Amino acid sequence: PCRREPSPGPPQANRRMSTKTPMTLRGADALREELRHRKSELRPKIIASVEEARAHGDLKENAEYHAAREQHGFNEGRIGELEAKLSNAQIVDPAALPKTGKIMFSTTVELVDADSGEELRYQIVGEDEADIKNGLISVNSPLARALIGKVEGDVAQVQTPRGIRELEVVKVSYL
């Protein structure tokens, strides 16, 4: 009889898969600047304030010391978070993208609301860069998901709290 080798089975559950997170060049630069600021400016100041508070004596009842330690922990946590985000970032430069006319990550799109005639302009950016007031929408937002792949003249239907909204794509830019 023919013996079959057992299949190796699924990969180990504790092995983490490394997935890249899209981020614009501008977004990566902003995170790098925050990381630089936290490491080279904030960290030394916080360490100095911990040392100063420690010099005041009894650490159990020293509120200044505990506040400085808490601030230190927060800063170190944020440094770790920034380093992780940057190490997992897939940085996309919109100017380097092929000009296919399709809406994709990092493109800027001009839209017109079919019902109201309102003109809108958004850039599709990474999760950490999103700022709707400045026209930056997350690639994971319902609006961005509805727009991805569309070209000028297409109409995207987006589910909003007030119902379905139809947005016509007027212009796609790779800025």
Side-chain angles (χ1 to χ4, degrees):
C2 183
R3 285 184 52 170
R4 293 176 52 195
E5 290 293 317
S7 69
Q12 293 178 356
N14 62 359
R15 204 182 297 166
R16 293 175 62 169
M17 296 193 69
S18 161
T19 57
K20 292 290 185 182
T21 305
M23 185 178 298
T24 65
L25 194 54
R26 182 182 62 232
D29 287 345
L31 290 184
R32 282 190 201 103
E33 175 55 26
E34 182 183 350
L35 182 60
R36 183 207 61 76
H37 172 71
R38 287 186 175 281
K39 281 181 151 181
S40 63
E41 295 173 30
L42 275 183
R43 182 185 273 165
K45 287 178 186 174
I46 293 169
I47 290 172
S49 60
V50 168
E51 293 301 320
E52 183 182 322
R54 184 179 284 150
H56 291 261
D58 186 10
L59 299 181
K60 282 189 259 175
E61 296 181 21
N62 187 336
E64 196 177 308
Y65 172 77
H66 292 291
R69 291 286 301 159
E70 188 175 316
Q71 187 179 22
H72 177 69
F74 175 79
N75 191 55
E76 293 303 311
R78 182 65 179 153
I79 287 171
E81 188 179 317
L82 291 168
E83 288 173 338
K85 285 179 182 185
L86 287 167
S87 71
N88 288 324
Q90 177 184 357
I91 300 169
V92 178
D93 180 3
L97 292 175
K99 314 296 188 262
T100 63
K102 285 188 177 183
I103 298 171
M104 61 182 90
F105 179 82
S106 83
T107 56
T108 299
V109 60
E110 294 178 26
L111 309 163
V112 172
D113 186 308
D115 293 328
S116 70
E118 179 184 10
E119 295 179 8
L120 307 161
R121 182 183 168 146
Y122 297 113
Q123 181 181 16
I124 300 174
V125 297
E127 194 72 43
D128 293 314
E129 305 169 77
D131 180 359
I132 193 73
K133 290 179 184 164
N134 288 312
L136 304 173
I137 60 170
S138 166
V139 67
N140 298 321
S141 70
L143 175 57
R145 288 196 310 260
L147 292 171
I148 300 269
K150 301 278 191 266
V151 296
E152 289 179 14
D154 284 353
V155 174
Q157 292 188 338
V158 184
Q159 181 66 49
T160 69
R162 289 184 268 165
I164 293 179
R165 191 171 176 191
E166 291 189 348
L167 303 169
E168 181 181 349
V169 179
V170 176
K171 184 176 179 186
V172 178
S173 308
Y174 302 84
L175 304 174

